[in-house]
Amino acid sequence: MDGVSERIARYHSSAPGTRVLPASGTDAHNNVERYAWKIVAAKGSEVMEGLDVAERDDSGRLRRILMFHGRLPAGD
């Protein structure tokens, strides 16, 4: 988890005053879960949105997170 803590600390130092907020509930299947998030500026405007897909090992510990930044592309 040191890597996750370091990533969060780097984010906070690079984007002071912003907050990362949940934009959905969590959907889980087997050891994989997904959830949406958004970044909000100090004055409340939305800066970015995204989706994370997390994988856990059999003991429930976080194995990896795939981070998608920005909106999903429009369908055809």
Side-chain angles (χ1 to χ4, degrees):
M1 289 299 270
D2 288 340
V4 173
S5 296
E6 290 169 7
R7 172 73 174 106
I8 292 169
R10 278 195 315 271
Y11 170 77
H12 282 294
S13 66
S14 70
T18 62
R19 295 179 298 148
V20 179
L21 303 173
S24 74
T26 301
D27 183 28
H29 179 68
N30 294 327
N31 291 340
V32 178
E33 45 195 62
R34 64 180 175 168
Y35 48 89
W37 49 265
K38 61 184 176 180
I39 298 174
V40 178
K43 293 186 178 185
S45 61
E46 187 173 309
V47 175
M48 181 186 293
E49 66 181 58
L51 173 79
D52 288 356
V53 178
E55 181 182 15
R56 297 185 179 275
D57 64 18
D58 289 335
S59 68
R61 292 179 53 90
L62 188 61
R63 179 178 288 164
R64 69 178 170 167
I65 300 175
L66 303 171
M67 304 170 89
F68 294 86
H69 295 91
R71 294 177 186 238
L72 289 170
D76 294 333

XYZ file of all heavy atoms in Angstrom:
583
model
N 0.812 -1.198 0.000
C 0.000 0.000 0.000
C 0.854 1.261 0.000
O 0.315 2.335 -0.176
C -0.951 0.007 1.194
C -2.083 -1.001 1.088
S -3.142 -0.731 -0.316
C -4.334 0.364 0.397
N 2.163 1.119 0.179
C 3.007 2.310 0.138
C 2.868 3.026 -1.196
O 2.831 4.248 -1.247
C 4.467 1.949 0.378
C 4.730 1.562 1.825
O 3.918 1.934 2.694
O 5.737 0.889 2.080
N 2.763 2.286 -2.290
C 2.617 2.890 -3.613
C 1.354 3.708 -3.727
O 1.353 4.785 -4.331
N 0.267 3.223 -3.166
C -1.001 3.960 -3.199
C -0.882 5.243 -2.381
O -1.280 6.320 -2.835
C -2.170 3.086 -2.687
C -3.443 3.896 -2.566
C -2.385 1.888 -3.598
N -0.319 5.149 -1.202
C -0.146 6.330 -0.352
C 0.742 7.371 -1.027
O 0.459 8.570 -0.974
C 0.456 5.946 0.996
O -0.430 5.109 1.698
N 1.813 6.915 -1.683
C 2.697 7.837 -2.387
C 1.981 8.503 -3.553
O 2.141 9.699 -3.795
C 3.933 7.094 -2.883
C 4.854 6.671 -1.757
C 5.940 5.714 -2.226
O 6.070 5.481 -3.448
O 6.653 5.210 -1.348
N 1.173 7.759 -4.278
C 0.413 8.309 -5.414
C -0.558 9.374 -4.927
O -0.687 10.434 -5.541
C -0.324 7.175 -6.134
C -1.285 7.609 -7.195
C -0.545 8.104 -8.435
N -1.463 8.378 -9.499
C -1.813 9.597 -9.898
N -1.323 10.651 -9.307
N -2.651 9.774 -10.893
N -1.248 9.113 -3.842
C -2.194 10.084 -3.285
C -1.461 11.338 -2.829
O -1.909 12.459 -3.092
C -3.010 9.448 -2.138
C -3.946 8.377 -2.701
C -3.796 10.507 -1.371
C -4.594 7.503 -1.647
N -0.325 11.187 -2.183
C 0.452 12.343 -1.726
C 0.925 13.180 -2.905
O 0.867 14.416 -2.861
C 1.636 11.884 -0.882
N 1.386 12.534 -3.984
C 1.813 13.271 -5.180
C 0.644 14.039 -5.781
O 0.796 15.184 -6.213
C 2.401 12.315 -6.219
C 3.836 11.959 -5.983
C 4.507 11.325 -7.199
N 3.717 10.296 -7.876
C 3.744 9.004 -7.570
N 4.503 8.561 -6.578
N 3.020 8.137 -8.246
N -0.526 13.409 -5.816
C -1.703 14.100 -6.348
C -2.002 15.350 -5.528
O -2.197 16.432 -6.082
C -2.931 13.181 -6.369
C -4.158 13.979 -6.683
C -4.421 14.373 -7.981
C -4.993 14.438 -5.670
C -5.513 15.180 -8.267
C -6.078 15.245 -5.944
C -6.330 15.606 -7.248
O -7.391 16.416 -7.532
N -2.049 15.219 -4.210
C -2.378 16.358 -3.348
C -1.375 17.502 -3.519
O -1.768 18.675 -3.500
C -2.467 15.937 -1.881
C -3.735 15.238 -1.550
N -4.964 15.843 -1.578
C -3.970 13.956 -1.199
C -5.901 14.980 -1.257
N -5.332 13.819 -1.031
N -0.106 17.186 -3.693
C 0.881 18.254 -3.856
C 0.790 18.894 -5.241
O 1.111 20.068 -5.397
C 2.289 17.739 -3.583
O 2.677 16.803 -4.555
N 0.344 18.162 -6.254
C 0.266 18.716 -7.604
C -1.047 19.439 -7.880
O -1.124 20.231 -8.821
C 0.465 17.613 -8.641
O -0.646 16.735 -8.652
N -2.079 19.184 -7.101
C -3.393 19.804 -7.339
C -4.017 20.259 -6.020
O -5.075 19.782 -5.616
C -4.309 18.814 -8.051
N -3.353 21.194 -5.324
C -3.873 21.628 -4.026
C -5.263 22.265 -4.163
O -5.552 22.923 -5.158
C -2.839 22.643 -3.545
C -2.113 23.072 -4.761
C -2.161 21.932 -5.725
N -6.090 22.013 -3.174
C -7.427 22.586 -3.145
C -8.481 21.783 -3.865
O -9.669 22.070 -3.750
N -8.077 20.776 -4.633
C -9.066 19.939 -5.313
C -9.443 18.761 -4.421
O -8.727 18.420 -3.484
C -8.539 19.396 -6.655
O -7.397 18.577 -6.419
C -8.180 20.521 -7.614
N -10.579 18.168 -4.750
C -11.030 16.972 -4.026
C -11.441 15.914 -5.030
O -12.024 16.234 -6.065
C -12.215 17.302 -3.129
C -11.881 18.268 -2.013
C -13.076 18.586 -1.148
N -14.112 19.242 -1.959
C -15.416 19.119 -1.756
N -15.877 18.388 -0.775
N -16.277 19.752 -2.528
N -11.158 14.671 -4.732
C -11.628 13.546 -5.535
C -12.842 12.980 -4.818
O -12.758 12.589 -3.651
C -10.536 12.466 -5.704
C -11.067 11.307 -6.526
C -9.280 13.060 -6.332
N -13.976 12.955 -5.518
C -15.241 12.523 -4.923
C -15.817 11.338 -5.671
O -15.630 11.221 -6.894
C -16.256 13.672 -4.968
C -15.837 14.966 -4.281
C -16.858 16.053 -4.570
C -15.683 14.744 -2.793
N -16.539 10.457 -4.989
C -17.206 9.363 -5.690
C -18.278 9.922 -6.626
O -18.967 10.881 -6.296
C -17.846 8.538 -4.574
C -17.495 9.178 -3.289
C -16.767 10.434 -3.554
N -18.397 9.316 -7.811
C -19.426 9.712 -8.770
C -20.367 8.552 -9.067
O -21.230 8.656 -9.928
C -18.779 10.218 -10.054
N -20.188 7.450 -8.353
C -21.050 6.276 -8.513
C -20.898 5.398 -7.283
O -20.045 5.651 -6.442
C -20.637 5.470 -9.750
O -19.429 4.771 -9.500
N -21.677 4.351 -7.257
C -21.457 3.299 -6.279
C -20.367 2.376 -6.812
O -19.789 2.629 -7.867
N -20.083 1.313 -6.082
C -19.078 0.334 -6.495
C -19.767 -0.910 -7.013
O -20.687 -1.429 -6.391
C -18.167 -0.030 -5.307
O -17.534 1.158 -4.839
C -17.109 -1.023 -5.706
N -19.328 -1.371 -8.168
C -19.845 -2.585 -8.786
C -18.740 -3.624 -8.705
O -17.600 -3.335 -9.099
C -20.207 -2.278 -10.242
C -20.835 -3.443 -10.971
O -21.471 -4.289 -10.311
O -20.693 -3.508 -12.201
N -19.035 -4.803 -8.156
C -17.987 -5.808 -7.973
C -18.416 -7.155 -8.529
O -19.601 -7.518 -8.483
C -17.669 -5.957 -6.484
N -17.443 -7.874 -9.071
C -17.659 -9.234 -9.561
C -16.357 -9.999 -9.341
O -15.299 -9.576 -9.813
C -18.032 -9.219 -11.041
C -18.252 -10.580 -11.611
N -19.316 -11.362 -11.242
C -17.540 -11.286 -12.508
C -19.257 -12.520 -11.903
N -18.187 -12.492 -12.671
N -16.461 -11.105 -8.621
C -15.281 -11.874 -8.242
C -14.294 -10.958 -7.525
O -14.653 -10.331 -6.557
C -14.673 -12.602 -9.439
C -15.586 -13.670 -9.991
O -16.341 -14.304 -9.254
N -15.551 -13.881 -11.288
N -13.076 -10.838 -7.992
C -12.080 -10.002 -7.317
C -11.847 -8.675 -8.035
O -10.815 -8.039 -7.859
C -10.745 -10.753 -7.203
C -10.826 -11.910 -6.234
O -11.710 -11.957 -5.390
N -9.915 -12.840 -6.349
N -12.811 -8.264 -8.861
C -12.675 -7.028 -9.626
C -13.822 -6.100 -9.264
O -14.969 -6.527 -9.133
C -12.678 -7.318 -11.141
C -12.597 -6.037 -11.955
C -11.540 -8.259 -11.507
N -13.508 -4.822 -9.099
C -14.546 -3.836 -8.815
C -14.293 -2.587 -9.641
O -13.167 -2.317 -10.055
C -14.617 -3.507 -7.332
C -13.305 -3.288 -6.677
C -13.383 -3.321 -5.167
O -13.753 -4.360 -4.593
O -13.057 -2.279 -4.570
N -15.368 -1.842 -9.905
C -15.247 -0.602 -10.657
C -16.074 0.477 -9.991
O -17.079 0.185 -9.336
C -15.667 -0.779 -12.109
C -17.135 -1.135 -12.252
C -17.520 -1.308 -13.695
N -18.911 -1.764 -13.761
C -19.630 -1.801 -14.845
N -19.104 -1.419 -15.990
N -20.874 -2.224 -14.809
N -15.644 1.704 -10.198
C -16.334 2.850 -9.617
C -15.931 4.095 -10.388
O -14.829 4.178 -10.935
C -16.001 3.007 -8.126
C -14.528 2.933 -7.841
C -13.742 4.074 -7.867
C -13.918 1.710 -7.573
C -12.382 3.997 -7.620
C -12.565 1.629 -7.329
C -11.799 2.772 -7.361
O -10.451 2.696 -7.131
N -16.831 5.058 -10.436
C -16.550 6.334 -11.096
C -16.193 7.368 -10.041
O -16.571 7.253 -8.877
C -17.772 6.790 -11.892
N -15.462 8.384 -10.456
C -15.038 9.455 -9.565
C -15.027 10.758 -10.336
O -15.107 10.773 -11.562
C -13.652 9.170 -8.983
C -12.638 8.785 -10.012
C -12.287 7.512 -10.378
C -11.877 9.662 -10.841
N -11.348 7.547 -11.380
C -11.077 8.860 -11.688
C -11.779 11.028 -10.975
C -10.205 9.387 -12.637
C -10.914 11.565 -11.919
C -10.136 10.748 -12.725
N -14.942 11.855 -9.618
C -14.768 13.160 -10.251
C -13.852 13.999 -9.378
O -13.770 13.805 -8.167
C -16.105 13.868 -10.467
C -16.873 14.158 -9.202
C -18.214 14.778 -9.534
C -19.039 14.976 -8.275
N -20.330 15.567 -8.570
N -13.140 14.907 -10.028
C -12.288 15.850 -9.323
C -12.991 17.197 -9.350
O -13.445 17.644 -10.403
C -10.895 15.952 -9.977
C -10.190 14.596 -9.905
C -10.061 17.041 -9.299
C -8.871 14.549 -10.641
N -13.083 17.812 -8.177
C -13.786 19.088 -8.023
C -12.796 20.122 -7.500
O -12.031 19.860 -6.572
C -14.973 18.924 -7.046
C -15.696 20.226 -6.825
C -15.930 17.857 -7.560
N -12.815 21.310 -8.111
C -11.960 22.416 -7.674
C -12.475 22.981 -6.360
O -13.602 22.712 -5.939
C -11.929 23.509 -8.742
N -11.659 23.779 -5.714
C -12.012 24.357 -4.413
C -13.328 25.131 -4.462
O -14.088 25.131 -3.498
C -10.886 25.270 -3.926
N -13.632 25.773 -5.592
C -14.869 26.551 -5.710
C -16.056 25.710 -6.173
O -17.140 26.232 -6.381
C -14.663 27.732 -6.641
C -13.691 28.750 -6.048
C -13.603 29.990 -6.890
C -12.667 30.980 -6.216
N -12.624 32.258 -6.907
N -15.847 24.408 -6.363
C -16.943 23.502 -6.661
C -17.109 23.101 -8.116
O -17.939 22.257 -8.428
N -16.348 23.682 -9.024
C -16.490 23.309 -10.429
C -15.811 21.956 -10.687
O -14.791 21.636 -10.082
C -15.890 24.375 -11.341
O -14.515 24.536 -11.080
N -16.400 21.181 -11.585
C -15.835 19.877 -11.908
C -14.633 20.054 -12.830
O -14.707 20.750 -13.838
C -16.881 18.992 -12.578
C -16.405 17.576 -12.793
C -17.490 16.653 -13.313
O -18.582 16.627 -12.712
O -17.236 15.980 -14.315
N -13.528 19.431 -12.469
C -12.290 19.532 -13.231
C -12.146 18.349 -14.183
O -11.751 18.497 -15.330
C -11.069 19.592 -12.273
C -9.763 19.585 -13.032
C -11.175 20.796 -11.355
N -12.478 17.159 -13.705
C -12.290 15.938 -14.490
C -13.162 14.840 -13.919
O -13.539 14.875 -12.756
C -10.821 15.508 -14.434
C -10.503 14.264 -15.233
S -8.803 13.688 -15.006
C -7.906 15.004 -15.773
N -13.453 13.866 -14.743
C -14.128 12.662 -14.262
C -13.375 11.452 -14.772
O -12.554 11.560 -15.691
C -15.586 12.621 -14.725
C -15.759 12.492 -16.215
C -17.208 12.487 -16.622
O -17.924 13.453 -16.324
O -17.626 11.487 -17.243
N -13.637 10.311 -14.172
C -12.952 9.111 -14.596
C -13.569 7.860 -13.995
O -14.579 7.916 -13.295
N -12.938 6.758 -14.287
C -13.400 5.445 -13.860
C -12.179 4.635 -13.459
O -11.166 4.647 -14.158
C -14.119 4.750 -15.028
C -14.523 3.306 -14.829
C -15.789 3.241 -13.991
C -14.742 2.632 -16.163
N -12.250 3.969 -12.329
C -11.179 3.070 -11.892
C -11.701 1.646 -11.877
O -12.867 1.402 -11.556
C -10.697 3.415 -10.483
C -9.890 4.698 -10.420
O -9.633 5.305 -11.470
O -9.519 5.097 -9.304
N -10.829 0.721 -12.219
C -11.098 -0.707 -12.110
C -10.023 -1.274 -11.191
O -8.826 -1.133 -11.471
C -11.061 -1.410 -13.483
C -11.300 -2.903 -13.325
C -12.080 -0.792 -14.429
N -10.432 -1.836 -10.075
C -9.492 -2.364 -9.082
C -9.577 -3.880 -9.039
O -10.652 -4.457 -9.191
C -9.806 -1.783 -7.704
N -8.435 -4.493 -8.838
C -8.360 -5.949 -8.711
C -7.804 -6.291 -7.337
O -6.837 -5.687 -6.888
C -7.459 -6.521 -9.800
C -7.349 -8.028 -9.752
C -6.398 -8.569 -10.811
O -5.618 -7.794 -11.391
O -6.435 -9.781 -11.027
N -8.422 -7.251 -6.691
C -7.970 -7.707 -5.373
C -7.475 -9.143 -5.479
O -7.929 -9.901 -6.325
C -9.100 -7.618 -4.357
C -9.559 -6.189 -4.134
C -10.599 -6.107 -3.032
N -10.996 -4.737 -2.817
C -10.352 -3.881 -2.036
N -9.296 -4.265 -1.365
N -10.775 -2.632 -1.908
N -6.549 -9.516 -4.583
C -6.107 -10.903 -4.555
C -7.117 -11.729 -3.751
O -8.117 -11.210 -3.267
C -4.674 -11.026 -4.028
C -4.508 -10.598 -2.578
O -5.512 -10.518 -1.829
O -3.351 -10.341 -2.181
N -6.858 -13.007 -3.608
C -7.814 -13.891 -2.934
C -8.013 -13.566 -1.464
O -9.021 -13.931 -0.873
C -7.384 -15.355 -3.089
C -7.563 -15.853 -4.517
O -8.416 -15.292 -5.245
O -6.841 -16.786 -4.910
N -7.068 -12.850 -0.847
C -7.234 -12.455 0.554
C -7.930 -11.102 0.686
O -8.144 -10.626 1.802
C -5.877 -12.422 1.264
O -5.079 -11.369 0.746
N -8.265 -10.468 -0.459
C -8.957 -9.185 -0.423
C -8.043 -7.979 -0.490
O -8.508 -6.849 -0.512
N -6.725 -8.213 -0.549
C -5.775 -7.093 -0.629
C -5.745 -6.543 -2.052
O -5.843 -7.288 -3.024
C -4.378 -7.543 -0.219
C -4.297 -7.890 1.265
C -2.909 -8.352 1.662
N -1.860 -7.427 1.271
C -1.411 -6.422 2.035
N -1.919 -6.231 3.226
N -0.448 -5.638 1.600
N -5.573 -5.242 -2.147
C -5.511 -4.572 -3.428
C -4.306 -5.062 -4.227
O -3.183 -5.072 -3.729
C -5.413 -3.060 -3.200
C -5.528 -2.174 -4.405
C -6.874 -2.363 -5.086
C -5.352 -0.734 -3.981
N -4.559 -5.517 -5.453
C -3.479 -5.989 -6.326
C -3.073 -4.900 -7.311
O -1.895 -4.649 -7.531
C -3.928 -7.226 -7.085
C -2.875 -7.760 -8.036
C -3.303 -9.005 -8.744
N -3.310 -10.096 -7.777
C -3.921 -11.248 -7.963
N -4.586 -11.472 -9.066
N -3.884 -12.190 -7.043
N -4.066 -4.259 -7.960
C -3.764 -3.168 -8.888
C -5.014 -2.340 -9.156
O -6.130 -2.785 -8.909
C -3.186 -3.683 -10.193
C -4.180 -4.452 -11.032
C -3.537 -4.890 -12.318
N -4.428 -5.821 -12.994
C -4.270 -6.193 -14.225
N -3.271 -5.728 -14.935
N -5.101 -7.045 -14.776
N -4.776 -1.131 -9.641
C -5.862 -0.233 -10.035
C -5.558 0.268 -11.440
O -4.459 0.760 -11.701
C -6.002 0.968 -9.080
C -6.301 0.509 -7.666
C -7.107 1.912 -9.572
C -6.339 1.636 -6.649
N -6.526 0.139 -12.323
C -6.442 0.708 -13.663
C -7.259 1.989 -13.643
O -8.448 1.962 -13.318
C -7.000 -0.261 -14.704
C -6.340 -1.640 -14.739
C -7.111 -2.567 -15.654
C -4.903 -1.522 -15.172
N -6.622 3.106 -13.988
C -7.280 4.411 -13.891
C -7.562 4.948 -15.293
O -6.656 5.036 -16.113
C -6.398 5.382 -13.125
C -6.027 4.880 -11.749
S -4.763 5.901 -10.977
C -5.806 7.084 -10.171
N -8.809 5.305 -15.547
C -9.223 5.905 -16.802
C -9.614 7.355 -16.511
O -10.523 7.610 -15.735
C -10.409 5.151 -17.413
C -10.069 3.753 -17.831
C -10.128 2.716 -16.919
C -9.699 3.487 -19.132
C -9.823 1.418 -17.308
C -9.383 2.190 -19.530
C -9.446 1.156 -18.623
N -8.924 8.293 -17.145
C -9.177 9.712 -16.919
C -9.991 10.280 -18.074
O -9.689 10.006 -19.224
C -7.858 10.474 -16.800
C -7.077 10.070 -15.602
N -6.142 9.067 -15.644
C -7.107 10.507 -14.332
C -5.610 8.919 -14.440
N -6.190 9.775 -13.623
N -11.002 11.051 -17.751
C -11.844 11.674 -18.765
C -13.113 10.879 -19.012
O -13.296 9.774 -18.516
N -13.984 11.479 -19.805
C -15.257 10.832 -20.129
C -15.034 9.668 -21.093
O -14.092 9.677 -21.876
C -16.193 11.847 -20.786
C -16.598 12.933 -19.871
C -17.456 13.949 -20.590
N -17.703 15.053 -19.679
C -18.893 15.456 -19.323
N -19.966 14.894 -19.827
N -19.033 16.443 -18.466
N -15.938 8.721 -21.026
C -15.904 7.632 -21.997
C -16.264 8.187 -23.369
O -17.071 9.126 -23.472
C -16.897 6.535 -21.603
C -16.531 5.716 -20.381
C -17.695 4.843 -19.957
C -15.316 4.857 -20.669
N -15.710 7.625 -24.438
C -16.047 8.121 -25.768
C -17.511 7.814 -26.101
O -18.079 6.836 -25.607
C -15.091 7.361 -26.690
C -14.620 6.197 -25.906
C -14.736 6.551 -24.451
N -18.078 8.645 -26.936
C -19.461 8.432 -27.375
C -19.546 7.175 -28.238
O -18.597 6.829 -28.939
C -19.944 9.641 -28.170
N -20.661 6.500 -28.148
C -20.891 5.329 -28.987
C -21.258 5.734 -30.405
O -21.581 6.880 -30.686
N -21.191 4.774 -31.309
C -21.548 5.061 -32.706
C -23.031 5.226 -32.889
O -23.860 4.711 -32.290
C -21.043 3.929 -33.614
C -19.516 3.887 -33.645
O -18.912 4.947 -33.443
O -18.970 2.797 -33.885
